[in-house]
């Protein structure tokens, strides 16, 4: 890129960074304005209990997800387990299940008015830690995917060398595979922890007193909204602490990796444990992918058998599709700025912009929503409670999904393509428009679909920032599940899951269509 092109891109990138970071600066200033009440709020028992509860839930879900994903990644990577390729595809389907849907599944299956209760089965109280823990186990693919990628990079010759020297399969796995994939497992666990810390859907439906749920409770009370700011501030600090831990892990000395061609792994025979492994994988895949469909189908059929009329969902569906499609186009277009800077201007400014745009993605959605509430009500009242404010929230939350995906696609291009276009007389923008972007279309499509899936599932920002009278599928599911209207909720869940699964199937960076 020419100097003028870089200067223009940097100016746009700087403006984008300000837009993304401004709401959080506003939130900090709002908290600072009530500093005289900070001690009473920060050090009371409710705040301390909420912090402990949030960290306990995040740690428990992270650990169990790692313990689930590690054997799944190995069994679907290089063993003779039956149908491992098909199971590998099915296991990523929970990515399309938002936490409030998994919360609905838990309540509709195990709650006081749920299916298990109708059958007379004795069950623990799902409201609280147990229910939230079970509902959030659906996020195990966030650990599974990086583990599968890490195992694909392990040279099989190290395994074969260990086995030829007399190591048992278990010892070879412990001493060869585990050290190689430990960083990926740790990063995946931290990602799950961040997700759990920021989750609102499951914890609100299952009434678990986490920080994110209590932020909403405080905000909903006109006399406690000043406390919501401090709860959001504390949750932001806890999330940043998780990020700092991840950064420390990234800075540890890394093991040397094979830079040559890694040949395919040999098929490792499981012997008599082959079907045991298959049963384990089927149970996990069934829990993550088939259980939501089964529970939704049961309540849908039950409602129809009782003569319940299916309420048309045209408005909610069109609203959700419009928001998701609009956000996908907007965020993909805006995400080209940091992605192109990463490709053509990988200096300090590009790295700074990359960190800036990741702020909204790494912080909990309820914090982003509350920051925009205060910025909108005090600074931009004409923007508050409009679709444009919602789109701004989605931009702040999901911009890194698009920019990172596109940056990865652009970095894999042969740089000589751009140089050849420039040598043939194309301007910098002309070369990008006619050569770089057409080649990067798959990554642009993957970025747009990733944003589409995230937006159509998003809940806290939609609840706090939506225009009056504006209803979406996510909001309807959350409201009806709170009131235990399971037969009325089931059709809405079915429509939402169909849209999310369809978009996940279309993504060119997944292997759901058999692209191994």
């Amino acid at each position: 890129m020419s100097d003028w092109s870089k200067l223009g891109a940097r100016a746009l990138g700087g403006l984008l960074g300000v837009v993304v970071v401004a709401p959080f600066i506003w939130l900090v200033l709002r908290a600072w304005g009530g500093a005289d009440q900070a001690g009473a709020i920060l050090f009371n028992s409710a705040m301390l209990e909420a912090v402990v509860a949030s960290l306990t839930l995040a740690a428990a879900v992270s650990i169990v997800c790692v313990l689930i994903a590690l054997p799944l990644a190995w069994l679907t990577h290089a063993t003779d387990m039956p149908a491992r390729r098909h199971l590998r595809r099915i296991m990523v389907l929970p990515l399309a299940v938002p936490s409030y849907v998994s919360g609905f599944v838990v309540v509709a299956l195990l709650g006081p008015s749920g299916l298990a209760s109708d059958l007379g089965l004795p069950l623990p109280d799902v409201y609280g830690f147990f229910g939230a823990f079970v509902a959030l186990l659906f996020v195990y693919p966030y650990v599974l995917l990086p583990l599968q990628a890490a195992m694909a990079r392990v040279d099989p010759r190290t395994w074969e060398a260990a086995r030829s020297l007399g190591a048992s399969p278990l010892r070879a796995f412990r001493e060869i595979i585990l050290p190689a994939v430990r960083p990926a497992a740790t990063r995946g666990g931290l990602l799950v922890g961040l997700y759990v810390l920021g989750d609102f859907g499951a914890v609100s439906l299952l009434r678990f007193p986490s920080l994110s749920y209590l932020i909403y409770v405080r905000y909903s009370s006109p006399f406690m909204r000043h406390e919501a700011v401090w709860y959001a501030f504390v949750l932001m600090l806890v999330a940043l602490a998780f990020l700092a831990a991840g950064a420390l892990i990234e800075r540890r000395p890394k093991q040397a990796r094979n830079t040559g061609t890694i040949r395919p792994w040999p098929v490792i025979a499981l012997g008599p444990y082959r079907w045991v492994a298959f049963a384990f994988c089927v149970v996990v895949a069934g829990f993550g992918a088939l259980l939501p469909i089964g529970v939704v189908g049961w309540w849908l059929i039950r409602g129809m058998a009782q003569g319940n009329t299916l309420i048309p969902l045209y408005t909610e569906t069109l609203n959700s599709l419009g928001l998701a499609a609009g956000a996908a186009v907007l965020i993909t277009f805006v995400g080209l700025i940091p992605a192109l800077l990463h490709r053509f201007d990988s200096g300090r400014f590009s790295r700074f912009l990359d960190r800036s745009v990741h702020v909204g993605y790494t912080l909990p959605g309820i914090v982003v929503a509350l920051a925009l509430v205060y910025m909108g009500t005090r600074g931009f009242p004409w923007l508050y409670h409009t679709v444009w404010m919602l789109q701004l929230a989605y931009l702040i939350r999901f911009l890194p999904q698009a920019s990172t995906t596109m940056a990865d696609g652009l970095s894999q291009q042969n740089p000589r393509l751009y140089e050849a276009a420039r040598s043939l007389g194309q301007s910098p923008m002309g070369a990008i428009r006619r050569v770089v972007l057409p080649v990067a279309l798959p990554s642009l499509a993957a970025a747009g679909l990733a944003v589409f899936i995230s937006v159509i599932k998003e809940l806290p920002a939609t609840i706090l920032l939506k225009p009056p009278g504006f209803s979406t599928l996510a909001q309807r599911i959350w409201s009806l599940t709170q009131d235990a209207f399971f037969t009325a909720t089931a059709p809405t869940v079915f429509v939402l899951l169909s849209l999310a699964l369809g978009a996940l199937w279309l993504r060119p960076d997944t292997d759901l269509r058999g692209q191994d």
Side-chain angles (χ1 to χ4, degrees):
M1 296 177 69
S2 67
D3 292 339
W4 284 107
S5 298
K6 288 182 180 179
L7 183 62
R10 287 180 179 181
L12 290 174
L15 178 62
L16 179 61
V18 170
V19 170
V20 170
V21 175
F24 305 105
I25 297 176
W26 198 287
L27 183 67
V28 172
L29 293 175
R30 178 72 174 82
W32 184 258
D36 55 325
Q37 302 173 332
I41 298 173
L42 293 176
F43 300 106
N44 65 16
S45 58
M47 174 68 80
L48 297 177
E49 289 172 2
V51 172
V52 172
S54 299
L55 291 175
T56 302
L57 182 63
V61 175
S62 298
I63 291 170
V64 174
C65 283
V66 170
L67 293 177
I68 291 173
L70 186 59
L72 289 180
W74 175 246
L75 292 172
T76 58
H77 175 64
T79 69
D80 64 344
M81 183 185 68
R84 64 186 175 96
R85 291 187 177 181
H86 298 293
L87 287 170
R88 185 184 177 102
R89 298 181 189 118
I90 294 173
M91 286 172 184
V92 302
L93 293 180
L95 291 174
V97 180
S99 65
Y100 51 87
V101 169
S102 62
F104 161 78
V105 170
V106 171
V107 175
L109 182 63
L110 306 177
S113 303
L115 175 60
S117 176
D118 292 346
L119 299 176
L121 299 176
L123 293 167
D125 185 8
V126 296
Y127 292 102
F129 179 86
F130 173 74
F133 172 77
V134 174
L136 288 168
L137 287 180
F138 281 77
V139 301
Y140 73 85
Y142 286 109
V143 187
L144 177 62
L145 291 175
L147 278 175
Q148 288 175 335
M151 287 184 181
R153 293 192 296 266
V154 177
D155 193 334
R157 289 173 291 189
T158 56
W159 168 274
E160 293 169 347
R163 293 287 286 129
S164 66
L165 292 173
S168 66
L170 182 60
R171 183 180 177 185
F173 180 83
R174 186 176 65 248
E175 297 186 3
I176 301 297
I177 304 301
L178 278 183
V181 302
R182 187 179 292 120
T186 306
R187 287 193 297 270
L190 285 171
L191 184 61
V192 169
L194 273 173
Y195 183 96
V196 174
L197 280 175
D199 176 68
F200 173 74
V203 296
S204 60
L205 291 179
L206 294 154
R207 301 166 195 169
F208 180 71
S210 67
L211 284 167
S212 57
Y213 178 46
L214 292 180
I215 289 171
Y216 178 77
V217 172
R218 264 48 177 187
Y219 175 77
S220 299
S221 173
F223 304 104
M224 303 178 73
R225 289 191 173 180
H226 62 287
E227 293 188 17
V229 176
W230 283 105
Y231 273 80
F233 184 72
V234 170
L235 181 55
M236 185 167 62
L237 293 180
V238 174
L240 290 174
F242 263 70
L243 288 177
L248 288 175
I249 293 170
E250 292 288 344
R251 292 174 64 179
R252 289 180 180 177
K254 298 181 181 180
Q255 294 180 330
R257 291 188 300 177
N258 178 44
T259 56
T261 302
I262 297 179
R263 59 186 177 84
W265 269 75
V267 177
I268 299 169
L270 296 175
Y273 300 104
R274 187 168 177 252
W275 292 103
V276 176
F278 177 72
F280 169 71
C281 292
V282 167
V283 169
V284 175
F287 170 80
L290 301 181
L291 182 62
I293 298 173
V295 172
V296 171
W298 163 261
W299 284 103
L300 183 61
I301 294 172
R302 182 173 177 174
M304 295 175 66
Q306 293 174 350
N308 293 347
T309 303
L310 294 179
I311 299 175
L313 298 171
Y314 304 126
T315 301
E316 290 83 356
T317 303
L318 290 176
N319 287 343
S320 297
L321 284 173
L323 284 175
V329 173
L330 171 67
I331 296 172
T332 301
F333 179 76
V334 174
L336 279 172
I337 298 171
L340 289 171
L341 281 172
H342 181 272
R343 167 67 177 80
F344 293 103
D345 186 22
S346 56
R348 289 184 178 179
F349 181 83
S350 177
R351 292 193 295 271
F352 175 77
L353 178 61
D354 184 66
R355 294 189 182 99
S356 298
V357 300
H358 273 77
V359 169
Y361 186 65
T362 53
L363 292 178
I366 190 73
V367 174
V368 177
L370 192 64
L372 285 172
V373 165
Y374 283 110
M375 191 177 79
T377 54
R378 302 299 176 89
F380 306 93
W382 50 271
L383 192 60
Y384 184 53
H385 277 319
T386 66
V387 171
W388 298 110
M389 178 65 87
L390 261 181
Q391 293 290 0
L392 177 59
Y394 299 149
L395 174 69
I396 295 172
R397 285 282 288 132
F398 305 122
L399 177 61
Q401 283 188 335
S403 63
T404 302
T405 302
M406 290 186 290
D408 290 343
L410 291 172
S411 65
Q412 294 173 9
Q413 285 187 13
N414 188 337
R416 294 179 180 176
L417 292 174
Y418 174 79
E419 295 169 1
R422 292 285 287 127
S423 68
L424 293 174
Q426 290 292 326
S427 65
M429 292 308 299
I432 290 174
R433 187 177 66 254
R434 297 187 178 185
V435 177
V436 175
L437 293 183
V439 177
L441 279 179
S443 63
L444 268 66
L449 286 168
V451 172
F452 180 92
I453 295 170
S454 296
V455 170
I456 209 167
K457 298 190 305 178
E458 203 281 334
L459 181 63
T462 305
I463 290 176
L464 294 184
L465 300 171
K466 69 180 182 67
F470 192 87
S471 180
T472 65
L473 294 171
Q475 180 211 352
R476 179 177 172 83
I477 292 169
W478 181 73
S479 300
L480 292 176
T481 305
Q482 277 197 317
D483 297 327
F485 295 147
F486 301 142
T487 54
T489 309
T492 315
V493 176
F494 178 78
V495 173
L496 179 69
L497 287 180
S498 299
L499 294 174
L501 286 171
L504 186 65
W505 184 85
L506 288 171
R507 283 185 61 175
D509 56 342
T510 65
D511 61 355
L512 293 181
R513 291 169 290 171
Q515 300 172 350
D516 291 324

